[in-house]
Amino acid sequence: MRTTLMPSCSSALDPQEIKRAATHLSWHPDGNRKLAVAYSCLDFQRAPVGMSSDSYIWDLENPNKPELALKPSSPLVTLEFNPKDSHVLLGGCYNGQIACWDTRKGSLVAELSTIESSHRDPVYGTIWLQSKTGTECFSASTDGQVMWWDIRKMSEPTEVVILDITKKEQLENALGAISLEFESTLPTKFMVGTEQGIVISCNRKAKTSAEKIVCTFPGHHGPIYALQRNPFYPKNFLTVGDWTARIWSEDSRESSIMWTKYHMAYLTDAAWSPVRPAVFFTTRMDGTLDIWDFMFEQCDPTLSLKVCDEALFCLRVQDNGCLIACGSQLGTTTLLEVSPGLSTLQRNEKNVASSMFERETRREKILEARHREMRLKEKAATKSRGRPGGGGGRGSSGGRRG
C-alpha cells in the first residue's frame, strides 16, 4: 500500500529581521495545538551583530504571531516542554547554561544554572527524566560532559559523567555530545551520539564513574545528529550522521543491522513514527523530508517531499503520529499532516518489524564472527611469516561490509 503526506497545514516564520536557524522543536504534551521552537546560529563565532536570542512558543491555530517569547541570556540550541507540567520548559543554551521557564510567570528565565557549574560548549541535548517530582533532567554538550540537574536547585549539577571512552575520566579525551537518548522504560540507561560518529551507551547507576561508559557503536563518518530508540523495540535504535540513516541492535556492536543508501545531501535529523514500528522520517540539507517504510521498501524512501529551498535542521513527530514539524536554516517551521496509511498501525506490523530486526541482527552477528575469524587467521599468518623458518603462506583478509 503506497501512502502519502497531505499538504502542509501551516508554517511559522521566525519573526526576527535577522533570521536564525530553527534548531530544536518540542510539542506541547497536552495535544497538538502548541509547539516550542529553539532558534540559534550554530556557526561558531559567526552570529550576526544584533541577532536576537529569543525563542518562541507557537499556537498553531495562529501561526502569524508567537504566543510567547522566551528570553534567554544566550540563544537556545534545545528546548523541551516538561511532560509532567506543560507550563515548564527546559532550554540548553549556546553558552553552555541550562535555563528553565514557567510560562505562568512570563518570558523571563525562572531558573538558570551558574556559568561556572555549566557546560563549557553549546548544549545539544536536554531531556526530562521520568521522576516523581517532575523536576529532574539531564543535558549533554560538545564539551564531552553529561550533567544531571534538579531545577529546584540549579547552582550545580547533581551528577556529571565525562564521555571518555578510555574510561580514564579525562575531559581532554572526552568525545563531544551532539545527540542524547533516554527511554523511560530503561531508566538507568542513556545513549549519546558524538561529534566523532560514535554512539556511547551508558549506565547511570554503575558503581564507578568508569563503569558508567558501558560500550560503543562505531557509527558514522561525521557527527551523529539524531539518535532514538524504536518506541516498540527499544533494543533497536536509529542514528543519522553523514549521508545515511542507520538502524542498530544492542546485540550487534560492530556494525549497524540496516541502513539507507548514501544520499547526495547530508542528513540532519531523524525520528521514528510513534505509532508504526517500521516507519521513520529523515531531513536533509537540501530541504527534503524523506519518509521510510521498511515494511514495503528498504532501498528508497516511500515518499520524498521538498519542504523548502534551504536546509532542514530538525524534525519532531507529534505523539499521535499524525503531524510532523520541520525546522529550517532560515527559521521557518513547517507543519505537515501525515496520511492515515502512514499513521495507522498495519495488520501484523509489530510481528513483521520484530522479525525483520531479529533476522538482520542474526545476519550481522554471523558476519561479525566471520570477520573476527579472518582477522585471527591473518594475525596468525603474520606471526608465522615473522618467525625464522616460519611458513610463507598468505593469510585470509576480509573487508567489512559497507
Side-chain angles (χ1 to χ4, degrees):
M1 180 179 65
R2 289 286 165 183
T3 45
T4 57
L5 271 179
M6 306 291 279
S8 62
C9 309
S10 58
S11 57
L13 308 178
D14 179 6
Q16 296 293 331
E17 231 172 275
I18 301 173
K19 301 300 178 194
R20 300 88 38 88
T23 52
H24 199 85
L25 308 166
S26 179
W27 286 98
H28 190 283
D30 298 335
N32 53 18
R33 267 191 44 245
K34 293 182 186 178
L35 189 71
V37 185
Y39 299 86
S40 57
C41 173
L42 297 179
D43 294 332
F44 181 62
Q45 293 184 340
R46 289 189 193 164
V49 177
M51 187 187 84
S52 170
S53 295
D54 292 1
S55 287
Y56 300 104
I57 297 172
W58 296 88
D59 185 329
L60 302 177
E61 291 176 6
N62 181 20
N64 299 320
K65 185 184 177 189
E67 181 181 86
L68 183 68
L70 304 176
K71 296 185 173 292
S73 54
S74 171
L76 295 179
V77 182
T78 68
L79 185 59
E80 291 287 351
F81 276 109
N82 185 333
K84 279 198 168 183
D85 184 349
S86 57
H87 296 102
V88 177
L89 293 100
L90 176 71
C93 299
Y94 188 80
N95 70 353
Q97 286 181 289
I98 306 298
C100 255
W101 281 266
D102 185 330
T103 55
R104 291 164 294 201
K105 297 177 181 176
S107 296
L108 299 180
V109 175
E111 302 291 342
L112 185 66
S113 63
T114 58
I115 286 277
E116 46 286 2
S117 63
S118 299
H119 292 282
R120 305 175 185 187
D121 281 353
V123 179
Y124 282 92
T126 49
I127 294 179
W128 289 99
L129 292 169
Q130 297 281 346
S131 62
K132 288 178 184 175
T133 60
T135 59
E136 293 174 40
C137 55
F138 70 129
S139 59
S141 163
T142 43
D143 68 355
Q145 297 181 99
V146 177
M147 294 181 174
W148 280 262
W149 306 88
D150 189 319
I151 62 168
R152 296 170 299 183
K153 183 177 178 287
M154 295 286 279
S155 55
E156 59 182 13
T158 55
E159 190 182 338
V160 178
V161 169
I162 295 170
L163 298 172
D164 178 4
I165 58 175
T166 66
K167 302 193 176 184
K168 293 175 183 172
E169 297 180 72
Q170 300 292 318
L171 194 54
E172 57 267 27
N173 297 335
L175 304 185
I178 287 282
S179 50
L180 190 57
E181 157 63 34
F182 172 75
E183 168 55 52
S184 57
T185 58
L186 305 166
T188 65
K189 290 185 173 185
F190 66 96
M191 301 178 90
V192 180
T194 66
E195 286 181 296
Q196 293 78 8
I198 292 170
V199 174
I200 305 175
S201 179
C202 305
N203 180 3
R204 185 188 173 191
K205 298 300 181 185
K207 288 178 182 175
T208 68
S209 294
E211 288 174 358
K212 288 178 181 177
I213 309 284
V214 177
C215 64
T216 59
F217 299 83
H220 292 272
H221 304 299
I224 294 175
Y225 291 117
L227 168 62
Q228 189 189 10
R229 290 186 187 273
N230 186 291
F232 295 85
Y233 304 105
K235 191 165 67 172
N236 299 103
F237 58 95
L238 172 70
T239 60
V240 150
D242 54 62
W243 301 270
T244 62
R246 294 177 178 270
I247 297 171
W248 302 76
S249 166
E250 285 187 330
D251 296 334
S252 177
R253 294 181 185 176
E254 290 187 26
S255 174
S256 50
I257 59 168
M258 305 174 84
W259 51 86
T260 65
K261 64 183 180 183
Y262 276 75
H263 293 276
M264 295 300 288
Y266 224 71
L267 271 63
T268 55
D269 203 359
W272 291 104
S273 163
V275 291
R276 291 199 48 204
V279 170
F280 63 93
F281 309 89
T282 57
T283 50
R284 294 194 244 151
M285 287 288 279
D286 63 3
T288 303
L289 170 73
D290 288 321
I291 301 177
W292 299 82
D293 187 344
F294 272 19
M295 283 272 286
F296 296 100
E297 176 73 76
Q298 295 178 19
C299 296
D300 291 295
T302 300
L303 181 72
S304 293
L305 188 73
K306 181 79 169 173
V307 177
C308 56
D309 292 328
E310 70 263 22
L312 287 175
F313 270 20
C314 56
L315 76 100
R316 202 72 178 260
V317 189
Q318 211 272 336
D319 282 346
N320 62 19
C322 295
L323 289 174
I324 305 172
C326 300
S328 83
Q329 189 173 15
L330 295 179
T332 300
T333 304
T334 304
L335 247 66
L336 300 151
E337 189 176 342
V338 183
S339 68
L342 277 167
S343 54
T344 308
L345 191 67
Q346 304 296 298
R347 190 167 62 87
N348 208 31
E349 181 174 357
K350 286 185 184 179
N351 291 335
V352 172
S354 176
S355 299
M356 179 175 64
F357 292 147
E358 286 172 12
R359 182 187 69 237
E360 295 302 328
T361 301
R362 282 196 301 272
R363 190 202 307 264
E364 200 55 44
K365 286 170 92 168
I366 291 166
L367 283 167
E368 284 177 11
R370 198 175 294 167
H371 284 297
R372 275 196 296 272
E373 189 183 336
M374 287 175 168
R375 288 196 294 270
L376 285 169
K377 283 182 180 176
E378 177 77 13
K379 203 173 179 181
T382 305
K383 275 186 180 175
S384 175
R385 285 198 296 270
R387 285 201 302 268
R394 292 174 64 192
S396 304
S397 69
R400 281 195 59 74
R401 185 155 69 118

